[in-house]
Amino acid sequence: MYGAAENAAAAAAAAERTAFRGAEKRYKLYKTLPHRPKSRMKTTSGTKPTDLSDVVDFKAVLDSFASGRDLPTGILRFDCDGFDRPVFCIDDRPGFFFIPSALTIEEQCYWIRESLATFPQPPNRTNLTAIYGPIYGLFNAAQNQKVLIETEDTDTLVDHELNGSKSSPHSQKFLFAETSSVHRVETCKSIAALALLKKLRWSTLGLQFDWSKRNYDVSLPHNKIPDALCTLAKKMAVPALPFGEDFHPEAAIVNYFGPSDMLGGHLDDMELDWTRPIVSISLGCKAIFLLGGKTREDVPIAMFLRSGDIVLMAGEARECFHGVPRIFTDDGHAEISAILSQFSAEDDRCYADYIRNSRININIRQVN
């Protein structure tokens, strides 16, 4: 027994010493302790500065290419006939492609809206589903400052107060209600819809992914991936495909990052054909992406991901550990002013408030 515990502790210690883990620690967000001035009238805190000098900046790479300057060592322009955007790859990471500024500001805003208002809708599952069951209209409820209530006697609430219409598909005990209605239910637990939105971490489109079993559960109810997202993914996947072959999107995982969130090093290895790419779309606040090698011992390459960038990973790149150790939400690094200017209308305030300190990542996959 003690030997097993010692082995587990040794394995955990070894993981802490890997090159990938070291890079995660280097770029992770660390908050400084509050400082108490002598006056004791005010406390201040912030974040520890991070050395970003080694982070590959594909925005600068794109600028160099556009002006005819030499590209950084190890970064190559990828020629793709018929593809209308510059594509770059990394010399020692075959199968990895970076398409900077692939989406316009208008397209970015469209997909942010879809990611918040449409993609979490049932039958799509989210990280909230296991706790609350299917939740309909989460973003609309957050916009209207509603609360999610748990009650065994939902008849005590007027249907239109809960659901907005009598044809609503709600039939579970967790329902949205006006704040003013909650006191009319004798026994109920409640949580603000806006707080619930901030707890959203993933949603799954198309074939539903079972996180506990790490496979796609074809028995779960699901809709096809929206046509517009399929069309975009097919178009963007072209550089990573053999000439003349197509990409068939069957599933997507949408990740939602809050200010201190990170995505640890991992492999996306549950699809059958790794020659087909994962099409990864970045939206919202800028992040650091780590692209490692085939073991955690390989030193990863750090690069910035900005809103509108698209990454493709196919073939050998599918065998590379990768993760997101940091997103930037401060005004000096987030780089979302253009998005916020598009969300300036009163009806868009909830979108602006959300994306001001968040990042969304849409990963589209061909499963079979």
Side-chain angles (χ1 to χ4, degrees):
M1 178 177 69
Y2 293 107
E6 290 172 356
N7 289 338
E16 288 293 308
R17 292 193 296 267
T18 65
F20 200 98
R21 181 58 177 157
E24 288 179 322
K25 286 187 171 183
R26 176 181 177 182
Y27 294 113
K28 182 181 176 181
L29 174 67
Y30 290 99
K31 294 184 178 180
T32 58
L33 294 175
H35 172 66
R36 293 183 179 274
K38 292 181 180 179
S39 66
R40 297 184 179 272
M41 295 297 292
K42 181 180 180 182
T43 62
T44 59
S45 63
T47 59
K48 293 183 179 180
T50 304
D51 182 3
L52 304 174
S53 59
D54 291 337
V55 181
V56 178
D57 188 342
F58 278 98
K59 181 179 180 181
V61 171
L62 182 60
D63 291 342
S64 295
F65 167 74
S67 60
R69 300 193 303 271
D70 291 338
L71 300 183
T73 303
I75 306 296
L76 308 173
R77 164 78 195 286
F78 181 77
D79 291 320
C80 183
D81 292 339
F83 196 75
D84 61 356
R85 292 165 174 80
V87 183
F88 301 96
C89 54
I90 298 176
D91 191 30
D92 60 353
R93 295 294 192 278
F96 177 83
F97 304 87
F98 198 110
I99 312 172
S101 303
L103 302 181
T104 66
I105 294 297
E106 290 75 17
E107 288 172 322
Q108 293 169 46
C109 292
Y110 174 82
W111 291 115
I112 289 170
R113 288 188 174 97
E114 289 292 287
S115 296
L116 293 174
T118 304
F119 292 167
Q121 288 280 82
N124 299 337
R125 297 170 65 84
T126 76
N127 61 296
L128 304 174
T129 304
I131 304 171
Y132 302 102
I135 300 176
Y136 295 84
L138 172 60
F139 188 79
N140 181 67
Q143 278 184 312
N144 292 284
Q145 300 181 338
K146 292 187 177 183
V147 294
L148 189 73
I149 66 167
E150 179 185 19
T151 175
E152 296 180 358
D153 184 14
T154 57
D155 290 337
T156 59
L157 294 177
V158 180
D159 184 70
H160 76 269
E161 287 183 324
L162 287 167
N163 305 321
S165 75
K166 292 185 178 181
S167 61
S168 173
H170 291 275
S171 60
Q172 67 283 357
K173 65 178 182 177
F174 286 99
L175 301 170
F176 285 117
E178 302 289 347
T179 305
S180 59
S181 303
V182 175
H183 72 277
R184 291 162 49 189
V185 184
E186 291 184 2
T187 304
C188 74
K189 297 177 182 178
S190 65
I191 180 173
L194 186 58
L196 209 57
L197 181 65
K198 293 179 180 179
K199 293 178 180 291
L200 184 65
R201 289 297 175 266
W202 55 262
S203 63
T204 47
L205 316 182
L207 294 176
Q208 297 293 288
F209 191 78
D210 187 327
W211 295 90
S212 61
K213 299 178 181 178
R214 283 189 54 76
N215 63 18
Y216 291 94
D217 188 344
V218 297
S219 68
L220 290 173
H222 63 275
N223 294 329
K224 287 179 59 179
I225 292 178
D227 289 343
L229 188 60
C230 276
T231 299
L232 175 63
K234 285 173 172 284
K235 178 180 179 180
M236 293 299 166
V238 168
L241 292 170
F243 181 76
E245 296 192 13
D246 291 328
F247 179 61
H248 300 286
E250 295 172 284
I253 297 175
V254 187
N255 297 116
Y256 304 85
F257 294 80
S260 300
D261 290 341
M262 61 178 290
L263 182 62
H266 66 283
L267 298 175
D268 295 308
D269 56 0
M270 299 313 300
E271 293 74 36
L272 295 178
D273 186 355
W274 289 6
T275 66
R276 292 300 182 265
I278 288 179
V279 180
S280 179
I281 303 170
S282 289
L283 302 166
C285 293
K286 187 172 71 175
I288 289 180
F289 177 73
L290 294 179
L291 177 63
K294 296 182 181 181
T295 75
R296 296 180 188 273
E297 300 294 342
D298 295 315
V299 177
I301 300 168
M303 62 195 77
F304 290 122
L305 284 175
R306 292 178 172 85
S307 191
D309 291 341
I310 289 181
V311 161
L312 311 175
M313 295 181 70
E316 288 189 43
R318 293 289 299 268
E319 303 176 54
C320 293
F321 284 90
H322 56 280
V324 178
R326 174 81 173 268
I327 76 166
F328 298 93
T329 59
D330 59 291
D331 292 341
H333 292 93
E335 299 188 28
I336 56 169
S337 57
I339 293 174
L340 294 177
S341 69
Q342 294 290 312
F343 286 140
S344 58
E346 181 63 25
D347 290 345
D348 289 331
R349 186 174 63 180
C350 198
Y351 292 109
D353 290 344
Y354 181 90
I355 210 63
R356 184 174 281 109
N357 59 6
S358 303
R359 174 179 182 263
I360 299 171
N361 182 224
I362 308 173
N363 296 280
I364 306 107
R365 300 127 184 272
Q366 178 173 325
V367 176
N368 299 304

